[in-house]
Amino acid sequence: MKKGILFLFLMAGILVNANVKMPLLFSDGMVLQRNKTIPVWGWADPNEKVEVRFNKQIKTIQADKNGKWMIGLNAEKAGGPFELTITGKNKIVIKNVLVGEVWICSGQSNMEFQMYKTMDSKKEMADSDYPMIRQFLVAQDLSGSPKADLKAGKWAVSNQENIRDFTAAGFFFAKKLYAELKIPIGIINTSWGGTCVETWTSREAFEKSDEFKDMIAKVPSVDMDAIFEKYKKSLLDNISKIQGFDVHLTNEDQFKEFDFYDKNWPEIKVPSLWENQQIGNIDGIVWMRKTIILTAEQAKKEATLYLSKIDDEDQTYVNGVQVGTNNLWDKQRVYKIPANVLKEGTNIIAVRITDYSGGGGIYGDPADLKIDFKDSNLSLEGLWKFNVVQVKMSVSPNSYPSLLYNAMINPLIPYAFQGVLWYQGEANVTRAAQYKKAFPLMITDWRTKWNQGNFPFYFVQLSTFDEFGGNSAKGSRWAELREAQTETLKLPNTGMVVSTDIGNAKDIHPTNKQDIGKRFASIALNDVYGKKQICSGPMFESMEIKGNQIILSFASIGTGLSTSDKNGILKGFEIAGADKVFYPAQAIIKENKVIVSSEKVSTPVAVHYGWADDDTEINLFNKENFPASPFRTDNWEMVTAREKYNVSK
């Protein structure tokens, strides 16, 4: 009897080991790339024979000694639905397979940005029944070494039930492509908010880079448990050093009280996310307190507390009394203060903020941070006291290089696709100068790993966002990052969506993803699909100095330069002499050139256009209504020139 049971167990083990297994990408509803060899791969027993059937094709392969196998199906025309059948000692049937155009959508939060958050979301989601458009959503994951398969993920058909979690930029791109091509469109959404470009780049790429090889040599190849322990110690030590005391929840309930003594707490600028200040990139719980002084008259009035937006969740107190709570990171906090809570003299606002992932803290428009008394208001912008009481102990994707490449890109290789759409850069603005090397390195790395040639790689130039108040006078990190993105166009088969006209200086996540997707599609339709059209705006090409004027020439002017100003006034141009002091300039369009001058600069040497974090006012376009990219004509040192990527000890 015992021998019989043992035999059954052994047979069960053999059967389990014998099963052919496919990557998660190969699942019901998938979209395969047309007109290219189609790699199909998986795992089986060592030396096991595997048969693959698709449409009219039948191919066989023998797994290698490790059980890995891969074949290339012949290129197929657009069509479907088909079945993909893989047979070894077991049989897998993948149903409802389409052949069409496949694009990878990647980057940080503005690519991750889902359809339900976008401008006119209800209207847009109502028009989402497109069975030929499908998204594969890659589950967020990180790894200290390259993974063979994804943590999770599945294909979803575009319809009103599924559309909520589609990448908005990717969907609007796919929708436009489908309208023009009338073939299946698949988008593979592998994105993670708040992530830097270095986490999307492989270790091998860093090792071959003169810029990064010294950095990566100091980063050991370790497992995630070891990474976690190192990260945990580094994070807690850093916060304790900043605060002057340890991170703990002990007696935190007293922090909301009016008479709590917070004089030894450090201070932080509000509104602004923690990641941009001394707290850094943490998730967890932070108490913030603000002391205000009110007159007797103000204390008697009906009052409403405005705290702009809080990422992610808050419990808010005034003089120890809870006045509101919310757990939606992108919603305005507006709390009515009950009668008799405010008093003449000192008052305390205390906010317990829980950040679950990504950015954290009080952020948004300073004008939305106030106490409103109907006939007047009191601004709450400025320095607030803070105390980090709990840190979420999980490794950030930015803690070490290559973590997202290993877990969210490597498992996709060598899936056939047409090109990449990329929306990222916000997390790299503090190292904008180095981004000139880091971003092209990543693109080249992906192209090398896939070995599909210089596939199209299109990206969004950062939109306007007044994060640091940067400008020509004090330097602008955001302008420098935009310049780094522009210079990346030197790589072959790249394209850039300029988005300065559709951003929001007060919101790092502009909701107009419709135009982002359409502009992506314009580039693809022109460059890939032979539908010739103007697909980008003016790009600075050269300058000529004539007396007190600088004459600027541009490429990509379409049918001519224009301005969005109804009076024909160009905005956003500045001019400087050898003293490097920039002054607002008069700028006019003449014979499809821009002539720039200022009474304050008699001998000009350089021009800036849109050189600011917030470049909302700039308004040079071509007549096809594509905006000009911000630029500078000088090569003077950048404010981020000495900032380098490094890994915390």
Side-chain angles (χ1 to χ4, degrees):
M1 181 67 179
K2 289 181 179 180
K3 289 182 179 180
I5 294 173
L6 179 60
F7 173 77
L8 291 174
F9 272 114
L10 289 172
M11 288 302 297
I14 291 171
L15 290 172
V16 169
N17 291 334
N19 281 346
V20 172
K21 180 186 175 185
M22 298 298 293
L24 290 175
L25 266 175
F26 290 85
S27 53
D28 291 348
M30 69 186 300
V31 182
L32 297 172
Q33 176 62 42
R34 65 167 178 164
N35 300 339
K36 291 185 180 183
T37 299
I38 303 170
V40 180
W41 73 95
W43 303 272
D45 270 357
N47 304 314
E48 182 179 348
K49 180 182 176 182
V50 177
E51 179 186 85
V52 177
R53 292 175 176 256
F54 184 72
N55 200 1
K56 298 177 182 179
Q57 298 189 54
I58 303 175
K59 293 201 174 187
T60 59
I61 187 74
Q62 183 173 316
D64 65 19
K65 63 181 181 180
N66 298 313
K68 180 72 182 290
W69 59 268
M70 183 176 72
I71 65 167
L73 292 175
N74 298 334
E76 294 272 357
K77 295 180 180 180
F82 303 109
E83 287 188 349
L84 175 64
T85 303
I86 304 95
T87 305
K89 295 176 182 175
N90 63 308
K91 183 176 182 179
I92 296 173
V93 179
I94 300 172
K95 301 178 180 179
N96 192 18
V97 179
L98 301 179
V99 178
E101 288 296 293
V102 179
W103 286 77
I104 292 176
C105 298
S106 189
Q108 55 181 108
S109 54
N110 273 308
M111 182 58 79
E112 184 181 12
F113 196 92
Q114 300 100 326
M115 280 293 294
Y116 75 90
K117 301 174 184 175
T118 200
M119 179 176 68
D120 300 325
S121 59
K122 290 184 179 179
K123 174 185 174 183
E124 298 290 4
M125 290 194 294
D127 180 26
S128 62
D129 291 323
Y130 295 92
M132 293 294 106
I133 297 177
R134 300 174 181 190
Q135 172 182 265
F136 185 91
L137 179 58
V138 174
Q140 293 181 342
D141 188 22
L142 37 79
S143 175
S145 58
K147 296 183 69 173
D149 202 3
L150 301 167
K151 175 183 177 181
K154 65 178 182 178
W155 288 93
V157 174
S158 174
N159 56 39
Q160 293 185 48
E161 180 180 353
N162 297 329
I163 193 62
R164 174 184 172 88
D165 291 325
F166 272 51
T167 161
F171 172 74
F172 290 120
F173 166 81
K175 186 177 179 181
K176 178 63 175 175
L177 238 57
Y178 179 72
E180 295 288 336
L181 304 178
K182 300 299 182 185
I183 62 173
I185 308 294
I187 51 178
I188 299 174
N189 178 7
T190 179
S191 52
W192 191 324
T195 53
C196 61
V197 72
E198 293 85 359
T199 193
W200 294 100
T201 307
S202 77
R203 183 183 184 92
E204 291 80 6
F206 289 126
E207 290 172 340
K208 296 175 183 177
S209 166
D210 290 340
E211 178 73 17
F212 294 100
K213 62 184 180 182
D214 291 341
M215 174 278 296
I216 201 65
K218 300 174 184 177
V219 180
S221 298
V222 293
D223 61 35
M224 290 307 297
D225 289 338
I227 288 178
F228 173 76
E229 290 303 321
K230 184 176 180 181
Y231 174 74
K232 175 181 176 180
K233 183 178 186 306
S234 172
L235 195 60
L236 291 176
D237 288 349
N238 183 57
I239 294 298
S240 297
K241 182 178 179 180
I242 291 170
Q243 295 190 152
F245 45 85
D246 291 338
V247 176
H248 58 80
L249 286 163
T250 306
N251 299 322
E252 68 155 332
D253 195 53
Q254 64 184 315
F255 298 162
K256 70 176 184 286
E257 301 298 341
F258 170 81
D259 56 0
F260 175 75
Y261 184 81
D262 61 14
K263 301 303 181 185
N264 65 328
W265 285 17
E267 293 180 320
I268 194 170
K269 179 185 173 184
V270 175
S272 182
L273 294 174
W274 302 331
E275 280 73 6
N276 305 325
Q277 303 187 71
Q278 67 266 43
I279 294 180
N281 186 26
I282 71 160
D283 301 320
I285 300 173
V286 178
W287 278 89
M288 301 184 71
R289 287 170 58 96
K290 179 74 170 177
T291 300
I292 58 173
I293 306 298
L294 301 180
T295 66
E297 182 180 359
Q298 287 174 319
K300 294 177 183 177
K301 290 181 178 179
E302 182 178 330
T304 303
L305 176 62
Y306 290 78
L307 290 179
S308 195
K309 299 177 182 179
I310 298 179
D311 193 346
D312 288 293
E313 181 177 341
D314 72 289
Q315 290 89 42
T316 298
Y317 305 85
V318 176
N319 293 334
V321 177
Q322 184 167 342
V323 297
T325 184
N326 198 312
N327 62 3
L328 300 175
W329 66 272
D330 59 345
K331 295 298 182 183
Q332 294 282 343
R333 268 44 173 192
V334 181
Y335 302 136
K336 184 176 177 58
I337 301 175
N340 302 319
V341 169
L342 296 176
K343 57 187 179 181
E344 180 182 3
T346 300
N347 291 260
I348 301 294
I349 301 169
V351 187
R352 185 183 191 267
I353 301 173
T354 303
D355 177 33
Y356 296 105
S357 64
I362 302 173
Y363 74 102
D365 188 348
D368 294 329
L369 192 66
K370 63 187 177 182
I371 295 181
D372 182 68
F373 300 103
K374 287 193 174 181
D375 59 347
S376 64
N377 62 71
L378 176 68
S379 174
L380 300 176
E381 180 185 7
L383 295 176
W384 286 51
K385 298 282 188 178
F386 75 89
N387 183 346
V388 181
V389 297
Q390 186 180 73
V391 175
K392 181 182 176 183
M393 290 304 173
S394 61
V395 177
S396 161
N398 296 332
S399 300
Y400 288 85
S402 309
L403 295 183
L404 296 191
Y405 171 84
N406 291 335
M408 297 176 66
I409 297 299
N410 192 72
L412 305 179
I413 301 170
Y415 199 85
F417 64 96
Q418 185 63 256
V420 172
L421 308 181
W422 177 261
Y423 198 156
Q424 188 273 341
E426 299 90 341
N428 278 87
V429 293
T430 57
R431 301 188 301 278
Q434 195 180 40
Y435 198 76
K436 292 182 179 182
K437 296 182 179 180
F439 186 29
L441 179 68
M442 190 210 76
I443 296 172
T444 302
D445 180 34
W446 288 19
R447 287 173 168 175
T448 300
K449 294 290 188 180
W450 251 283
N451 195 27
Q452 292 187 24
N454 291 331
F455 52 74
F457 197 107
Y458 306 147
F459 51 91
V460 180
Q461 187 181 54
L462 288 190
S463 186
T464 182
F465 181 59
D466 195 17
E467 183 172 17
F468 302 107
N471 53 36
S472 290
K474 56 185 177 181
S476 169
R477 297 170 178 176
W478 281 69
E480 292 180 4
L481 197 289
R482 295 184 195 111
E483 179 181 77
Q485 292 173 315
T486 300
E487 292 195 11
T488 302
L489 292 172
K490 295 174 183 176
L491 287 183
N493 212 6
T494 52
M496 183 173 75
V497 170
V498 178
S499 63
T500 51
D501 60 321
I502 52 177
N504 183 343
K506 299 170 183 176
D507 191 345
I508 200 170
H509 302 115
T511 60
N512 182 356
K513 295 297 189 284
Q514 289 89 332
D515 284 322
I516 295 294
K518 291 174 183 176
R519 291 177 186 180
F520 267 138
S522 292
I523 301 173
L525 289 167
N526 181 73
D527 292 358
V528 178
Y529 301 112
K531 295 181 178 291
K532 297 304 179 183
Q533 57 191 280
I534 303 301
C535 59
S536 61
M539 300 287 292
F540 169 70
E541 191 170 51
S542 63
M543 77 171 190
E544 179 185 1
I545 300 174
K546 281 192 175 182
N548 68 340
Q549 297 179 334
I550 293 183
I551 302 171
L552 305 171
S553 297
F554 295 85
S556 302
I557 64 172
T559 55
L561 297 179
S562 68
T563 175
S564 59
D565 186 87
K566 61 182 180 181
N567 297 315
I569 299 173
L570 288 175
K571 300 177 181 178
F573 284 91
E574 300 171 289
I575 196 166
D579 61 359
K580 302 182 181 180
V581 177
F582 282 88
Y583 296 93
Q586 293 177 328
I588 61 171
I589 298 171
K590 185 176 181 180
E591 297 178 352
N592 282 325
K593 297 179 185 292
V594 174
I595 302 174
V596 184
S597 63
S598 170
E599 294 178 354
K600 296 183 178 180
V601 182
S602 58
T603 309
V605 299
V607 169
H608 281 180
Y609 173 68
W611 200 260
D613 295 3
D614 175 9
D615 57 5
T616 304
E617 72 168 7
I618 64 176
N619 61 356
L620 177 64
F621 290 76
N622 58 22
K623 290 181 180 178
E624 286 71 26
N625 206 34
F626 287 100
S629 175
F631 65 90
R632 61 173 178 156
T633 65
D634 61 86
N635 61 356
W636 298 331
E637 187 174 69
M638 303 165 73
V639 295
T640 61
R642 293 178 174 82
E643 299 298 324
K644 303 294 183 181
Y645 177 73
N646 61 78
V647 178
S648 300
K649 297 291 187 290

